[in-house]
Amino acid sequence: RRGSRRLRPGALAPRAASAPESFALPARDAGWAAFLQELAGRIQGRRVRLASVNPAALARLRERALGAAASVRVAGEQGWPMEILSRGTGADRILAAWAAWRRCRRALVVADLGTAWTLDLVDGGGRFCGGAIGPGLGIQAEALARACPHLPAADGEDPAAIPSDSRAAVAAGTRVALADALGAGRARMAASLGLPGLRAFLTGGDAQRLRPLLGQDWDHVPDLVLEGLAGWEPAGG
């Protein structure tokens, strides 16, 4: 799986991708040659399935590394596993939504918390309807630190209902605010379908940080995108 900043390879299995690793993409051109050489060695002669939301990185992978694989299938280019009602939607969102749908076969939302956060809706017929995108916790922290360098970083504890110091206030303005936004978004989507509630799934790198603030009825599946990629059957084999 190619996200916007990291590469997460895993061995494909029928239900999920096993033992996923995570590699930060090089920040500068000078680091790409060594990175691509190592990647080419890892995938030499293997079948590769890929999902990417970073066109520039995907172009580099195609040019310098993916040629070493026995075959390459890119999600979207060889079809999707579900009907898509939205436009311009990233492969990660669709694959996570489809993996969640396979688990419950009912209307649902998926929150994927990474560089950006997304909250997407699948209707009762298994169709991807679209959703919301916003800045992830890391981007929020970076932006706040640049704009207000006098503020402290959020502490690691869950803030009280009424934060009494600046660290807890920053935590409330990021973690708690995001958790509340996800809950409100879920409720609005349920109302749009005329349902009393929606099954809810939580995935992504920051999911564990938000999980205590969301309630017990959100199912945490750490690698939902990779699970969807593993179960996807590309058109043409």
Side-chain angles (χ1 to χ4, degrees):
R1 171 196 176 190
R2 250 296 316 124
S4 56
R5 295 185 179 182
R6 305 189 74 84
L7 178 72
R8 300 203 68 215
L12 295 182
R15 174 57 111 168
S18 61
E21 301 175 83
S22 183
F23 301 96
L25 293 181
R28 300 181 178 179
D29 289 345
W32 273 93
F35 174 80
L36 293 172
Q37 183 176 5
E38 178 186 357
L39 180 62
R42 285 173 174 264
I43 65 176
Q44 180 72 42
R46 305 180 73 174
R47 293 182 298 170
V48 173
R49 293 183 188 177
L50 181 67
S52 176
V53 295
N54 186 326
L58 177 59
R60 285 180 184 251
L61 294 177
R62 285 187 190 278
E63 181 181 0
R64 299 291 301 277
L66 295 180
S71 65
V72 178
R73 298 290 184 266
V74 180
E77 294 181 7
Q78 280 84 32
W80 296 116
M82 65 195 312
E83 185 178 355
I84 312 300
L85 303 183
S86 59
R87 298 185 300 275
T89 306
D92 54 344
R93 295 169 62 193
I94 294 170
L95 291 172
W98 182 64
W101 165 257
R102 291 175 73 208
R103 285 174 170 263
C104 68
R105 303 284 175 173
R106 53 176 284 194
L108 61 92
V109 293
V110 178
D112 190 346
L113 309 180
T115 304
W117 65 261
T118 59
L119 181 67
D120 292 312
L121 172 68
V122 178
D123 68 14
R127 300 179 299 176
F128 184 95
C129 298
I133 304 175
L137 293 176
I139 291 178
Q140 292 186 46
E142 292 169 6
L144 189 61
R146 287 195 302 269
C148 305
H150 59 284
L151 288 177
D155 60 33
E157 299 180 1
D158 293 337
I162 303 177
S164 59
D165 61 66
S166 294
R167 288 187 182 278
V170 171
T174 53
R175 294 200 300 268
V176 175
L178 178 51
D180 288 349
L182 294 174
R186 177 188 181 186
R188 287 171 60 87
M189 290 178 179
S192 74
L193 295 181
L195 297 174
L198 291 169
R199 184 78 178 270
F201 290 84
L202 184 65
T203 194
D206 281 332
Q208 194 64 39
R209 298 173 66 189
L210 265 290
R211 190 180 181 189
L213 301 172
L214 284 170
Q216 297 299 315
D217 62 339
W218 287 75
D219 294 325
H220 180 214
V221 185
D223 293 302
L224 202 53
V225 178
L226 286 175
E227 182 178 313
L229 187 59
W232 166 62
E233 291 297 335

